[in-house]
């Protein structure tokens, strides 16, 4: 699979979820579309506390911004987008204005994330001094515990399809897991025990897992909050590169729930 083919798959997936065309995401013009339900969307957009249809979701692949919104927000969000350069739609102080636009509708900005796709010209096996094992769902069925909560998700366990573990004398010290979030794209998550961090183990596991996913004909992707520098650096070391960014608004009740950690 080439980098171009990988990007095309990601663009098609984003377009499906946003209710736009893939070419809209590469256009230099901002665009507002009305959000709809879609059974092919990523699993976490369809499960409890679902995001679809989006109240307001902004996606940027480096061209113009595509905003997928409720019908009543098409005008206000369109005005917001057209007042600024695309990348500035994700920056403060502009976001304060966006929140003011959304407030009368009972929603506010909630998630901001950067997404990474593998660069097949840079993706390669990375050295790890510890034993590495490929794990099936049966192998990691007993690993749904807090220390592996980024690699595996108990609430969506049925989507966890493959994992790669690092072991020190038989002890699991790091785990990278892949979730089949949609038909063609599997998301990677990684956890490393505190005493084993900053040793290159995370990038070894993520790169190995990405190659396993590609061998299965699927596209691996990696998500990180912009402020999570350790995660962003790990993505780049592992052979990934930035592909797109998303900003998602949710209803006030959901945002408040997130803030109190429920």
């Amino acid at each position: 699979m080439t980098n171009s083919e990988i990007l095309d798959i990601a663009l098609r997936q984003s377009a499906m979820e946003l209710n736009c065309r893939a070419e809209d995401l590469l256009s230099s013009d901002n665009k507002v579309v009305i959000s709809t339900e879609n059974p092919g969307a990523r699993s976490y957009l369809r499960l409890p506390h679902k995001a679809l249809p989006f109240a307001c979701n902004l996606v940027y692949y480096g061209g113009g911004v595509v905003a997928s919104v409720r019908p009543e927000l098409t005008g206000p969000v369109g005005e917001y987008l057209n007042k600024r350069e695309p990348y500035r739609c994700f920056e403060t102080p502009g976001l304060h204005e966006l929140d003011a636009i959304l407030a009368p509708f009972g929603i506010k900005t909630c998630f901001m994330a950067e997404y990474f796709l593998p660069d097949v010209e840079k993706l390669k096996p990375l050295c790890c001094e510890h034993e590495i094992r490929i794990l099936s769902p049966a192998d990691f069925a007993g690993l749904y515990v807090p220390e592996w909560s980024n690699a595996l998700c108990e609430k969506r366990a049925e989507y966890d399809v493959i994992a790669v573990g690092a072991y020190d004398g038989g002890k699991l010290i790091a785990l990278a897991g892949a979730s089949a979030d949609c038909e063609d794209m599997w998301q990677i998550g990684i956890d490393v025990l505190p005493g084993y961090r900053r040793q290159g183990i995370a990038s070894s596991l993520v790169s190995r897992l990405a190659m396993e996913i590609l061998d299965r004909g699927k596209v691996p992707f990696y998500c990180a909050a912009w402020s999570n520098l350790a995660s962003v650096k790990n993505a780049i070391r592992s052979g990934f590169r930035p592909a797109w960014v998303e900003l998602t608004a949710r209803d006030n009740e959901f945002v408040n729930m997130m803030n109190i950690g429920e």
Side-chain angles (χ1 to χ4, degrees):
M1 197 178 300
T2 67
N3 286 337
S4 178
E5 290 169 335
I6 288 171
L7 178 60
D8 284 345
I9 290 171
L11 287 166
R12 290 198 301 270
Q13 182 65 37
S14 290
M16 177 198 306
E17 295 169 353
L18 295 168
N19 192 32
C20 70
R21 302 173 303 168
E23 52 263 36
D24 293 332
L25 293 159
L26 299 179
S27 169
S28 59
D29 298 323
N30 296 329
K31 186 178 183 67
V32 180
V33 297
I34 296 175
S35 179
T36 64
E37 294 274 2
N38 196 303
R42 284 167 286 173
S43 60
Y44 51 85
L45 299 178
R46 297 182 275 106
L47 293 175
H49 298 305
K50 64 181 181 179
L52 282 175
F54 293 118
C56 178
N57 195 57
L58 275 56
V59 175
Y60 176 56
Y61 272 81
V65 176
V66 173
S68 186
V69 303
R70 295 177 183 170
E72 63 269 27
L73 284 167
T74 54
V77 172
E79 291 179 11
Y80 172 79
L81 296 183
N82 291 328
K83 286 172 60 177
R84 46 188 50 83
E85 292 293 318
Y87 73 93
R88 293 199 180 277
C89 295
F90 299 83
E91 292 183 339
T92 51
L95 290 183
H96 297 305
E97 180 181 332
L98 180 59
D99 266 334
I101 291 169
L102 300 177
F105 301 92
I107 55 180
K108 62 180 69 174
T109 54
C110 184
F111 298 117
M112 292 181 64
E114 185 171 14
Y115 289 81
F116 299 79
L117 292 173
D119 183 342
V120 296
E121 296 177 2
K122 295 182 179 180
L123 186 65
K124 61 182 180 181
L126 298 176
C127 180
C128 181
E129 64 181 26
H130 301 285
E131 178 191 2
I132 292 180
R133 301 178 193 170
I134 307 298
L135 307 176
S136 69
D139 298 321
F140 56 71
L143 298 179
Y144 287 93
V145 293
E147 54 261 51
W148 311 124
S149 60
N150 289 312
L152 304 172
C153 181
E154 187 172 13
K155 292 181 179 179
R156 298 186 291 118
E158 66 272 25
Y159 296 100
D160 292 333
V161 287
I162 185 174
V164 178
Y167 292 80
D168 184 2
K171 173 187 175 182
L172 181 64
I173 59 171
L175 184 70
S179 174
D181 286 339
C182 52
E183 178 64 27
D184 296 318
M185 300 180 69
W186 293 1
Q187 182 170 195
I188 292 177
I190 177 72
D191 288 293
V192 181
L193 295 182
Y196 293 89
R197 294 172 185 168
R198 299 179 181 272
Q199 299 177 27
I201 300 172
S203 55
S204 296
L205 295 190
V206 170
S207 60
R208 176 66 179 272
L209 183 55
M211 289 186 290
E212 292 287 337
I213 294 170
L214 286 168
D215 285 346
R216 288 161 171 76
K218 306 296 182 180
V219 171
F221 72 102
Y222 186 109
C223 175
W226 288 344
S227 56
N228 191 343
L229 294 181
S231 187
V232 170
K233 290 178 180 177
N234 180 57
I236 294 170
R237 283 196 300 265
S238 302
F240 285 70
R241 61 183 180 183
W244 79 95
V245 295
E246 293 192 23
L247 182 152
T248 305
R250 299 293 298 271
D251 62 86
N252 293 339
E253 181 181 0
F254 180 86
V255 176
N256 293 339
M257 180 185 66
M258 294 291 295
N259 280 328
I260 61 175
E262 293 185 357

